[in-house]
Amino acid sequence: MDMTTPLVEMRDISIAFGGIKAVDGASVDLHAGEVVGLLGHNGAGKSTLIKILSGAYKADAGEIRVSGEPVAISSPRDAKKHGIETIYQTLALADNVDAAANIFLGRELLTPWLTLDDATMESETRKVMGRLNPHFRRFKEPVKALSGGQRQSVAIARAIYFNARVLIMDEPTAALGPAETKQVAELILELKKQGIGIFLISHDLHDVFDLADRVSVMKNGRVVGTARVADVTQDEVLGMIISGKCPAGATPGPGALRG
Amino acid sequence: MTETAPASATPAQESPAQARSLADRMREIEVDPRMIGMVAALAVIWLGFNWLSGGAFLTPRNLWNLLVQTASIAVMACGMVLVIVTRNIDLSVGSMLGFVGMVVGLVQVRLLPEIWGFEHPLTWIVSLTVAIGLGGMLGMFQGALIAYLAIPSFIVTLGGLLVWRGAAWWVTQGQTIAPMDSRFRPLGGGIEGAIGTGASWAIGLVICGLILAGIVLARRRRRRFGFALRPLWAEGLVAGVACGAVLVTVAIANAYPLPAGIARRLTEAKGLVWPPGGLFIGHGLAVPVLLALAVGVAITFLTTRLRFGRYVFAIGGNPEAAQLSGVNTRKVLTLVYGLMGALVGISACISTARLNAATNSAGQLDELYVIAAAVIGGTSLAGGVGTIAGAMLGALVMQSLQSGMVLIGVDTPLQNIVVGLVLVVAVWLDGIYRKRLG
């Protein structure tokens, strides 16, 4: 797998906010059909790094390549153009409008008279939601009336409807109960089978070890190291997160503690 | 994922026969219960004033004037809904109306006559275009300050309130400009601004036809996709109420007779003999009322059928989400203020024409009435929620209160007290409603 050109490569990415380097020379990559877990404490820079890929922030330095081609991503629209979709931790839903309006927000389907084609959008929403959450019925209600799991389905539907090649999931299970968490896990495996590359950001080591093929650990804005989950133990990864110590099974990054 | 209802084979088979609350039933026929509450409140106000004034309120004459007086605020309230839905505010509309009105007066009484002479047939349309263009530009400017420089809208438009009022004085150093062009004056209502009974019936019937066509088309489209349809009785009820309201309005406007002298002049101008007992010639609908309705329909279309409106509401619901979805939130916000300004331009023409003079104090306190109309009409100051129809009804409620109090001889200070209290109570009730049923 590592021999092929990665689907996404982020090389030496840096960004600073008011003089503080939130991300400092970080490099990560992702292959088609692969799940890469991004781990680190709060403030380690993992969410910021991923927001650069999704177009919410613009990097000060570094390069992003999609299928080997360097690309410029300066807005969420650019990212979506390259098939990079994001499910944010906050879900980023407009609470006052219905599921269809959220799924198609910014990419509305129009009739030949350039008016909103709500009927087609609702029909498509019924199809995609039927796949993700067959019991979902509340198509006409604002999403604030929905349960946490239903809202999560809407956010996921928005990300996968437009044929994403790269999916970024920021703490996708943080607000969910055990049954719903299991459902998200199944979905991740299903999407992986379809050849979608997934960046999974999580606090939960168990989750990541169950789902990810590789993990990259960040600390203080730098990558401590990257490892295949088969080559490291959970304790070793915990050590990377807490002390920045890179174990033998991992490839050290610039943030690794030097002995 | 938490719902336990069994999956049905097709979406059309949903809506099981379970016990349903009144609110659910209303949602099913897609009627907003709050709208019904507002109509009920309006009915109470009208009947109350009619009783207190000994039957003077519910007369064709009073209702005709009430609608004309509502027009200017109603037009601006349409724009204010969009502004408030995006979690912003516009305090400058009254002052901007004063300034735009002065410029319109200057254009048609001082500038255009120098080129074309007085009473040129194009003067009125040039004036209206200038008003809409100028208002739109001023609005966009304020919107750009809010969207691109991130200055709070409260501050930008508070500044606008002072700046435009001062500018209104500056246009003529405080002089009033009058009279207006005779083709411009119908925009403000009055006898010249009444379109006559025949044309009113024609317009009323056309509107009814459009309402019915709209309902049939919407139903056909929903059927094509196999979505749940409203029950037929509900469609009939909605169609009947809407068409009935239109036709009753026309009938009332037509029942308000022109003054005898003017009716006589009109009759004789047609070469007819003025009978000794006099003739009954009705006013018919007023131009400013039709203008306000047209604006209401256009902005409703904009908010519910076009992308722009969808973005406005999405920004109000969650600005960050809208931006992360690729919506250009700054551009949308600038355009919202531009639209607000353009509507102020229309209202400036209505008020100037109605007064038949441009004065620098025109529109004073209008910002508060416009905001009050939007808020009484169910627009949430927290953003994301509001309807154009509600705001226009809100404007009618405000104007009904004021006209009614004038009619029964309440002093101005007490009028203000009542309007202020009603505003606060209305928002309180709306908040309770939202908590219970929202």
Side-chain angles (χ1 to χ4, degrees):
Chain A
M1 189 187 278
D2 288 326
M3 290 298 108
T4 57
T5 312
L7 192 53
V8 173
E9 259 182 297
M10 299 181 81
R11 285 189 189 168
D12 299 323
I13 301 286
S14 296
I15 188 171
F17 297 105
I20 296 166
K21 287 194 166 172
V23 175
D24 187 5
S27 301
V28 291
D29 60 355
L30 176 71
H31 291 79
E34 187 188 31
V35 178
V36 171
L38 268 182
L39 294 164
H41 278 308
N42 282 332
K46 55 194 194 310
S47 279
T48 309
L49 179 67
I50 232 62
K51 278 188 172 169
I52 290 170
L53 184 59
S54 66
Y57 297 145
K58 200 171 178 316
D60 298 333
E63 186 185 46
I64 300 174
R65 286 171 179 250
V66 175
S67 305
E69 296 289 314
V71 295
I73 294 179
S74 54
S75 74
R77 212 171 261 273
D78 291 342
K80 285 168 203 264
K81 207 169 62 199
H82 295 295
I84 301 168
E85 297 283 342
T86 310
I87 299 160
Y88 294 95
Q89 185 174 5
T90 57
L91 301 186
L93 297 173
D95 277 334
N96 57 330
V97 293
D98 62 18
N102 269 293
I103 289 174
F104 288 93
L105 186 57
R107 292 181 279 199
E108 289 77 4
L109 304 179
L110 301 179
T111 64
W113 299 279
L114 298 180
T115 59
L116 293 172
D117 193 349
D118 281 326
T120 308
M121 286 193 272
E122 187 181 334
S123 161
E124 291 296 303
T125 300
R126 284 176 190 270
K127 278 186 215 154
V128 64
M129 290 300 286
R131 229 172 89 207
L132 290 175
N133 191 347
H135 299 315
F136 188 80
R137 279 288 165 282
R138 298 159 88 178
F139 291 98
K140 283 290 182 189
E141 286 175 64
V143 296
K144 84 171 146 234
L146 307 181
S147 71
Q150 290 173 333
R151 289 162 54 84
Q152 181 87 31
S153 315
V154 174
I156 294 174
R158 175 169 63 187
I160 65 171
Y161 177 77
F162 296 93
N163 300 318
R165 293 197 294 159
V166 177
L167 200 56
I168 301 167
M169 300 174 110
D170 193 353
E171 303 280 358
T173 56
L176 299 183
E180 290 163 340
T181 301
K182 189 161 161 276
Q183 214 166 344
V184 169
E186 283 164 9
L187 178 74
I188 288 174
L189 295 177
E190 160 77 26
L191 294 172
K192 182 178 140 98
K193 229 180 283 167
Q194 295 172 14
I196 296 174
I198 298 172
F199 272 123
L200 182 62
I201 301 167
S202 183
H203 278 96
D204 191 336
L205 260 185
H206 295 289
D207 263 9
V208 173
F209 263 78
D210 285 349
L211 296 168
D213 301 297
R214 287 187 297 148
V215 289
S216 286
V217 177
M218 289 187 73
K219 187 172 160 59
N220 300 331
R222 295 158 150 236
V223 175
V224 173
T226 302
R228 290 156 54 120
V229 286
D231 300 343
V232 285
T233 64
Q234 290 198 21
D235 281 345
E236 284 172 333
V237 173
L238 207 56
M240 289 167 83
I241 295 171
I242 294 170
S243 62
K245 203 162 40 179
C246 199
T251 318
L257 197 71
R258 310 208 182 265
Chain B
M1 296 184 199
T2 56
E3 292 199 353
T4 51
S8 59
T10 65
Q13 283 175 5
E14 63 186 24
S15 77
Q18 49 188 247
R20 282 174 310 212
S21 69
L22 187 64
D24 278 347
R25 243 164 219 275
M26 285 184 169
R27 196 170 291 134
E28 186 177 307
I29 61 172
E30 288 172 39
V31 170
D32 184 359
R34 274 215 308 278
M35 212 66 173
I36 294 176
M38 283 192 50
V39 173
L42 195 62
V44 168
I45 291 169
W46 284 16
L47 292 172
F49 277 122
N50 196 47
W51 176 65
L52 289 170
S53 64
F57 193 90
L58 291 180
T59 57
R61 174 194 158 98
N62 187 56
L63 293 177
W64 194 88
N65 281 315
L66 180 64
L67 289 183
V68 171
Q69 286 160 357
T70 306
S72 167
I73 298 290
V75 167
M76 290 192 281
C78 293
M80 192 61 81
V81 170
L82 298 192
V83 169
I84 296 178
V85 162
T86 62
R87 305 187 178 186
N88 286 291
I89 197 76
D90 192 339
L91 299 174
S92 71
V93 294
S95 297
M96 201 190 282
L97 184 147
F99 175 60
V100 174
M102 286 308 290
V103 172
V104 165
L106 193 75
V107 163
Q108 70 175 274
V109 178
R110 305 244 173 106
L111 297 184
L112 287 181
E114 281 181 21
I115 309 167
W116 290 342
F118 283 99
E119 297 295 319
H120 190 275
L122 289 180
T123 299
W124 75 273
I125 188 78
V126 171
S127 304
L128 187 60
T129 311
V130 165
I132 293 172
L134 178 62
M137 268 163 39
L138 299 181
M140 293 244 277
F141 174 62
Q142 293 190 145
L145 294 182
I146 295 159
Y148 291 92
L149 302 186
I151 312 173
S153 60
F154 186 93
I155 297 304
V156 169
T157 59
L158 184 62
L161 179 135
L162 298 166
V163 169
W164 309 131
R165 184 61 67 195
W169 185 88
W170 218 270
V171 175
T172 59
Q173 308 292 314
Q175 274 182 331
T176 295
I177 303 176
M180 293 296 128
D181 184 83
S182 69
R183 288 183 189 80
F184 181 77
R185 284 207 295 272
L187 291 175
I191 289 155
E192 313 102 305
I195 64 169
T197 51
S200 298
W201 282 123
I203 288 180
L205 290 176
V206 168
I207 295 175
C208 288
L210 291 176
I211 290 171
L212 294 177
I215 288 175
V216 170
L217 282 178
R219 198 175 167 81
R220 192 173 292 167
R221 201 171 51 205
R222 290 191 66 79
R223 181 173 297 143
R224 185 153 55 87
F225 283 92
F227 296 163
L229 296 172
R230 286 194 222 182
L232 263 180
W233 64 266
E235 301 272 24
L237 186 71
V238 170
V241 168
C243 292
V246 170
L247 295 177
V248 166
T249 308
V250 172
I252 290 171
N254 284 352
Y256 174 31
L258 292 174
I262 289 165
R264 180 169 192 166
R265 206 173 343 116
L266 280 179
T267 315
E268 286 168 0
K270 281 186 197 157
L272 300 172
V273 187
W274 181 249
L279 259 182
F280 183 95
I281 301 181
H283 271 74
L285 297 168
V287 173
V289 176
L290 291 171
L291 202 55
L293 282 178
V295 166
V297 170
I299 307 290
T300 301
F301 179 79
L302 183 80
T303 51
T304 58
R305 306 285 344 131
L306 296 187
R307 232 180 209 175
F308 177 76
R310 175 68 44 91
Y311 292 169
V312 167
F313 277 83
I315 290 171
N318 187 345
E320 201 200 353
Q323 201 176 1
L324 290 175
S325 299
V327 174
N328 189 342
T329 53
R330 291 169 168 183
K331 189 171 121 196
V332 170
L333 198 55
T334 308
L335 289 174
V336 164
Y337 274 89
L339 181 67
M340 176 80 248
L343 295 179
V344 168
I346 294 178
S347 285
C349 289
I350 293 176
S351 330
T352 310
R354 190 168 142 67
L355 202 60
N356 194 16
T359 75
N360 62 52
S361 65
Q364 245 163 16
L365 290 183
D366 270 12
E367 57 281 342
L368 301 183
Y369 291 120
V370 170
I371 293 167
V375 169
I376 285 181
T379 309
S380 163
L381 284 170
V385 179
T387 62
I388 303 301
M392 296 188 92
L393 262 182
L396 190 57
V397 166
M398 300 276 299
Q399 192 59 47
S400 299
L401 278 173
Q402 285 201 305
S403 297
M405 286 190 288
V406 171
L407 206 61
I408 61 173
V410 176
D411 296 334
T412 311
L414 190 54
Q415 283 178 30
N416 289 339
I417 290 172
V418 171
V419 171
L421 291 177
V422 166
L423 173 64
V424 174
V425 171
V427 173
W428 175 59
L429 287 177
D430 193 49
I432 290 180
Y433 168 82
R434 271 174 223 258
K435 254 186 218 147
R436 290 260 173 87
L437 294 166

